[in-house]
Amino acid sequence: MVLLDSAPATAASAGNRSQTSFDADWRFLRDDPAGAESIGFNDSYWRVLDVPHDWQIEDLPYATSENGEATASPQTYMVPNDPSLIQGVPPVIGPFDANADLPGGYGPAALGGRGQGYTVGGVGWYRKHFTVPKDALNRRVEVRFDGVFQTADFWLNGFRLGFNAHGYLPAIFDLTDHLDFAGQNVLAVRVQSPNESSRWYSGSGIYRHTWLTATSDVCIPTFGVQVTTPVVAGNSLIHTAVEVRNDGSQTANAQVRTTLLDPGNNVVGTQTSGSVSIVAGDQTTYSFGQWISGARLWDPEQPNLYTARTEVLMGGRVIDSNTTTFGIRSMVWNGTDGFLLNGKRIKLNGGNVHHDHGPLGAISLDRSEERKLEILKAAGFNAVRPAHTPFSPHFLDTCDKLGMLVWNEPFDIWDLPAKAANDYHLYFPTHWQSDLTTFIRRDRNHPSVIIWSIGNEIAADPNAYGPRLADHVRSLDVTRPVSLGGADLLKIGPDPWTYLDVFDFHGNPGATDHAAHPDKAITQSEVPFNSNYDNAKLAQASPWYVGSLVWAGWDYIGEGGIGATTATTGPLAAGGLVGTVGYPYFQGFCGDIDLIGQRKPQNLYREVFVGHSPLEMVVLRPTPPGTQQVAVNYAWYDALESWTWDQAQLLPLNVQVYTSGDTVQLLLNGLLIASNTVQDSDKQMTNFSVPYAPGQLTAIASRNGLEIARKTLTTTGAPAGLRLTSDVQNLTTGRDDLAHVLVEVIDKEGRRVPDAVTKISFYVSGAGNLIGVGNGNPRNVDSFKRPRRHTWHGQALAVLRPSKSTGSLTMTATAPGLNYATMSLPVR
């Protein structure tokens, strides 16, 4: 039993409000026992854990102890491949199951198949024993689950609180009337995550944070503050709307005070309302308008954030308080200017991302969200599309802080089944309005959110939901335009041009589309990488075309093989590969960034054609005689920044150079191999056939006869040791803190061996533990939880989580025949 009054508050406590983490000490069972909602149910044998938690990423109870070596080879992900390279792949290993029938009572209904990356859902129960915190006695008490996948039923002390159908939106319940304020309480949650609940990895369980909030009867409801900036100029107008609800039994007279603080936390404005009578069971909205002179605006380069502090007063005493972060910025979307942010034209260079974190599955911890966005920002992206679901609150908080623009979308499906048999379409007709309301209210104050999308690739809308969804969004927020992902694919139903503010293509828009609808800006929220160069040039030439978001920015579990590299004897028709790649291909593998956060060759190409780098160079992996690599549909080339190959000398390798220059010279060990011109039709890419010889390969790019950049790849020596690099230098005792430690195989000179496949073992001691391991290989099925992993491209990742006490967290990595590496991180 947990005494919550001893737990630290992880969100601000102010006035008569307290918000406390509810994550610690849940009991969990991956089964479906009868009567588990009852307060007296015996759960003593259940596993004790902290949420966020995802059982779908954990090892299956019946999984083999084999280590997956058969799929560790780096070349196994090309299609077609040598079958001998994947012989003996265990059909059940770690969290993966390729079979149709499962032992142990799981049954085929739990299988996720290719869409879920061959991981297994099912049914799981969570129970939490707790006493009411002292500061919550005789007050309103509310619990909030930020995310439970897929559907969930909730009980408190045997009383059914309700049901949540949308696995990516919060579930919120008032516990007050069913709490035992003097004794112990039991909160029980039954989670169902059936097969085909999503077309990519969803995870299963209470995978986001939980919170317990205590307030007065008269309070600001959850998501009850909206801040807008209707005038952005020398003097900027900040409008604040504050809802106040009276859950008491008598009429209350209340005032509201709003205080605005600038990015340096200095007060720049305060207003107090008059007293308003609110009858019992009702609520009212207080509105404020405050002017700020010389406001510091929010944009991707300078993401300045202000704070609105709202307080409810009765009799001059603060009885509730809330803080809301916002940015001051203006937006214009139209067919003349495209997208203007604070009067400046912005072009989207974005990526679709999924909510999983590779080795951690769906578990949403703050540092994982931050790291993903930091890497995407450093890789040249200025926008993300959470595809196609609401992401965690902290993900959007981090977008606000980093200046990452967000295409925000709540649904992958409406009322018709199309993508997964047990998807949200089963609940859409009865839940869409309440879920869309929660989505908009939750996210409307984030300055990073620049557009509302009402869905993704809806092929048919015979029941005319599109106009209703658009109108409902506008009833809640008029500061952003409404769009629909892949609106060009909607063939049956109301014409989306008539009810959308911004038209979005998943095909190729052209001047004729703009000419037919000259008032509307046009975007592409989802495009394969092979179209990205053309999209970038279209954006440069056409004000009405705002830009695109690649599918995908980051690799993800599920949709196995959509980005598989192809080795073929001739051209392959676009789309010919999708759906043909099976187990053990568990990743989509179409991202600029791989599953553990490392850049792939297509991201290097992007850096050149968007103007961030003048020169990049990769070498394509050699294919069997008579075949060649083909980058088709969502795939790119299997290539490395490497001149270290297990290749007979003088056999040719294909060297691919990306450049903004007009000429490239290629030198091998100081001797000129060839000089290529680069014309517009080459799309800033040129290829060389180079007989392999170890040493140094140098590319020199020139423009108008002047050198603009050079790049050299050097043959490395044999693997000699390991190197560990952490994304942080110290840790706190906070449960959201993590260290993502990259392990690299290096030669005796300290250079990474680019294609090394080495089995690494991890040993962790001290103030923390190992919670996940992984690599970028899309076919290396294995456990994400056991303390060993093969490297791929000479790299693997270990994720460390600090304990709740201070000390030092130490990890040592070893590999047969190599020098080991160790690192220690202070936990403060």
Side-chain angles (χ1 to χ4, degrees):
M1 181 169 57
V2 183
L3 300 176
L4 285 178
D5 54 325
S6 63
T10 56
S13 298
N16 205 26
R17 170 185 295 251
S18 65
Q19 181 165 280
T20 307
S21 171
F22 208 50
D23 290 346
D25 298 318
W26 287 79
R27 294 177 180 269
F28 169 72
L29 182 69
R30 190 172 182 169
D31 203 345
D32 192 16
E37 73 278 9
S38 301
I39 189 170
F41 181 86
N42 179 18
D43 58 16
S44 61
Y45 60 96
W46 291 18
R47 177 155 55 117
V48 178
L49 52 78
D50 293 348
V51 299
H53 170 246
D54 174 11
W55 80 67
Q56 196 167 318
I57 202 67
E58 297 177 340
D59 290 358
L60 291 164
Y62 54 87
T64 175
S65 61
E66 295 179 60
N67 58 22
E69 291 183 50
T71 62
S73 177
Q75 61 263 48
T76 61
Y77 68 94
M78 282 202 294
V79 179
N81 54 57
D82 180 352
S84 67
L85 294 172
I86 57 172
Q87 285 181 355
V89 177
V92 179
I93 183 169
F96 302 102
D97 193 324
N99 297 317
D101 296 300
L102 306 178
Y106 289 86
L111 271 177
R114 174 175 170 265
Q116 291 271 347
Y118 305 99
T119 59
V120 180
V123 178
W125 278 84
Y126 297 84
R127 285 169 56 90
K128 184 178 176 72
H129 298 251
F130 66 100
T131 58
V132 177
K134 292 179 181 178
D135 60 5
L137 294 176
N138 302 315
R139 300 169 68 199
R140 308 300 303 182
V141 180
E142 176 183 275
V143 67
R144 184 177 86 241
F145 296 81
D146 282 341
V148 183
F149 196 89
Q150 179 197 13
T151 58
D153 294 275
F154 303 82
W155 292 266
L156 176 64
N157 298 330
F159 175 83
R160 189 173 185 274
L161 297 170
F163 170 77
N164 191 57
H166 199 304
Y168 301 98
L169 283 172
I172 304 170
F173 301 102
D174 189 332
L175 305 182
T176 310
D177 294 341
H178 308 286
L179 277 172
D180 182 345
F181 282 89
Q184 67 170 296
N185 298 272
V186 177
L187 186 63
V189 184
R190 180 179 184 266
V191 184
Q192 299 182 75
S193 185
N195 72 314
E196 295 189 293
S197 58
S198 174
R199 55 181 173 150
W200 41 72
Y201 185 85
S202 60
S204 296
I206 305 175
Y207 69 98
R208 289 182 184 161
H209 287 305
T210 59
W211 305 94
L212 198 73
T213 303
T215 66
S216 301
D217 286 339
V218 179
C219 65
I220 302 168
T222 301
F223 313 136
V225 176
Q226 182 177 23
V227 183
T228 58
T229 57
V231 178
V232 177
N235 285 326
S236 298
L237 176 61
I238 315 304
H239 182 266
T240 309
V242 184
E243 298 170 3
V244 178
R245 185 178 65 212
N246 181 3
D247 289 325
S249 58
Q250 298 179 349
T251 297
N253 296 312
Q255 295 175 280
V256 168
R257 179 169 61 214
T258 67
T259 302
L260 303 181
L261 299 97
D262 69 11
N265 210 35
N266 303 301
V267 173
V268 291
T270 299
Q271 279 190 356
T272 304
S273 74
S275 183
V276 175
S277 294
I278 310 172
V279 300
D282 202 359
Q283 75 175 38
T284 192
T285 299
Y286 298 73
S287 295
F288 300 87
Q290 300 185 64
W291 292 89
I292 296 178
S293 178
R296 296 158 63 181
L297 304 187
W298 186 96
D299 64 30
E301 287 73 39
Q302 294 183 309
N304 295 303
L305 293 173
Y306 284 71
T307 301
R309 184 171 65 226
T310 53
E311 298 168 303
V312 180
L313 299 92
M314 290 181 63
R317 183 173 65 89
V318 175
I319 62 164
D320 193 23
S321 181
N322 198 357
T323 58
T324 303
T325 302
F326 68 96
I328 301 174
R329 49 106 172 105
S330 67
M331 294 195 299
V332 172
W333 292 78
N334 61 42
T336 301
D337 300 303
F339 171 42
L340 301 179
L341 182 65
N342 302 329
K344 176 183 177 183
R345 181 173 289 126
I346 299 290
K347 299 294 185 176
L348 302 182
N349 176 32
N352 285 262
V353 293
H354 290 71
H355 78 295
D356 75 89
H357 293 288
L360 301 186
I363 294 172
S364 176
L365 298 172
D366 289 3
R367 180 57 199 152
S368 291
E369 308 284 25
E370 293 163 4
R371 174 179 179 264
K372 178 177 282 187
L373 286 162
E374 289 167 359
I375 290 172
L376 287 166
K377 186 88 172 180
F381 291 97
N382 69 354
V384 291
R385 180 190 185 209
H388 304 282
T389 59
F391 275 25
S392 74
H394 193 74
F395 181 90
L396 293 180
D397 289 342
T398 306
C399 289
D400 293 343
K401 293 175 183 177
L402 294 181
M404 185 70 82
L405 305 173
V406 178
W407 173 293
N408 214 12
E409 196 164 62
F411 306 125
D412 188 30
I413 198 74
W414 290 349
D415 58 323
L416 300 181
K419 297 154 185 171
N422 293 302
D423 209 335
Y424 178 75
H425 70 275
L426 298 172
Y427 309 99
F428 180 87
T430 53
H431 287 75
W432 74 264
Q433 189 164 357
S434 61
D435 287 343
L436 185 57
T437 298
T438 298
F439 170 68
I440 300 295
R441 285 171 58 86
R442 191 197 74 159
D443 294 351
R444 60 190 175 180
N445 293 314
H446 289 281
S448 57
V449 175
I450 58 171
I451 197 167
W452 300 119
S453 171
I454 54 176
N456 171 66
E457 293 187 353
I458 307 301
D461 184 22
N463 296 310
Y465 279 106
R468 284 184 277 169
L469 289 160
D471 287 345
H472 191 63
V473 170
R474 296 184 185 107
S475 74
L476 297 167
D477 178 53
V478 296
T479 70
R480 300 169 178 88
V482 177
S483 190
L484 171 65
D488 58 315
L489 303 180
L490 202 163
K491 306 302 182 186
I492 301 172
D495 181 1
W497 284 103
T498 64
Y499 61 83
L500 299 178
D501 303 312
V502 174
F503 201 84
D504 181 70
F505 282 80
H506 286 183
N508 294 314
T512 56
D513 299 298
H514 171 61
H517 304 277
D519 59 322
K520 294 188 188 297
I522 291 176
T523 64
Q524 283 181 281
S525 69
E526 183 177 320
V527 295
F529 187 81
N530 287 287
S531 302
N532 253 228
Y533 176 88
D534 295 331
N535 294 333
K537 297 308 174 185
L538 179 63
Q540 291 175 10
S542 307
W544 50 267
Y545 178 68
V546 176
S548 64
L549 297 100
V550 70
W551 192 273
W554 192 293
D555 279 343
Y556 55 95
I557 301 173
E559 272 195 327
I562 190 175
T565 305
T566 302
T568 181
T569 56
L572 185 71
L577 192 62
V578 176
T580 67
V581 183
Y583 184 84
Y585 221 120
F586 72 95
Q587 292 183 37
F589 199 60
C590 48
D592 271 44
I593 309 296
D594 75 15
L595 198 68
I596 63 170
Q598 307 305 303
R599 291 188 181 190
K600 291 164 63 181
Q602 53 263 57
N603 186 254
L604 301 177
Y605 184 28
R606 175 191 301 279
E607 287 285 85
V608 170
F609 67 66
V610 299
H612 295 164
S613 171
L615 175 68
E616 300 292 342
M617 175 171 56
V618 296
V619 179
L620 274 61
R621 185 182 303 283
T623 60
T627 66
Q628 62 181 348
Q629 289 196 39
V630 178
V632 61
N633 209 24
Y634 293 93
W636 194 243
Y637 299 97
D638 173 11
L640 293 174
E641 290 184 279
S642 171
W643 195 239
T644 305
W645 295 94
D646 185 12
Q647 173 88 340
Q649 291 203 38
L650 303 183
L651 287 178
L653 289 175
N654 188 341
V655 178
Q656 200 166 75
V657 177
Y658 314 132
T659 183
S660 57
D662 55 28
T663 305
V664 176
Q665 292 179 305
L666 199 67
L667 287 70
L668 178 58
N669 296 324
L671 299 177
L672 180 66
I673 295 294
S675 180
N676 288 358
T677 58
V678 184
Q679 302 175 355
D680 289 345
S681 60
D682 296 319
K683 299 183 178 182
Q684 297 183 251
M685 180 194 306
T686 187
N687 290 274
F688 297 84
S689 180
V690 181
Y692 181 66
Q696 289 191 330
L697 183 71
T698 300
I700 303 173
S702 301
R703 188 187 303 118
N704 299 324
L706 298 176
E707 180 179 328
I708 60 172
R710 66 173 57 204
K711 191 141 206 164
T712 297
L713 303 176
T714 302
T715 305
T716 64
L722 303 176
R723 177 169 59 218
L724 303 179
T725 306
S726 173
D727 65 330
V728 297
Q729 300 307 308
N730 53 71
L731 294 161
T732 70
T733 56
R735 299 297 283 159
D736 272 308
D737 214 354
L738 297 172
H740 299 81
V741 182
L742 184 69
V743 55
E744 299 173 284
V745 178
I746 57 175
D747 68 7
K748 64 180 181 180
E749 303 297 329
R751 300 170 297 192
R752 176 168 61 90
V753 182
D755 225 10
V757 176
T758 303
K759 183 180 179 181
I760 309 295
S761 297
F762 300 99
Y763 303 89
V764 176
S765 61
N769 61 298
L770 179 71
I771 65 168
V773 295
N775 62 37
N777 190 331
R779 299 187 79 153
N780 188 192
V781 289
D782 202 347
S783 170
F784 293 112
K785 298 300 179 183
R786 296 180 182 176
R788 80 284 184 282
R789 193 75 186 194
H790 283 88
T791 60
W792 186 68
H793 293 170
Q795 298 171 316
L797 185 74
V799 185
L800 304 178
R801 191 179 193 185
S803 64
K804 300 176 185 179
S805 57
T806 59
S808 181
L809 176 55
T810 299
M811 186 181 80
T812 300
T814 66
L818 303 184
N819 293 327
Y820 71 89
T822 189
M823 73 162 26
S824 294
L825 297 171
V827 179
R828 299 166 180 159

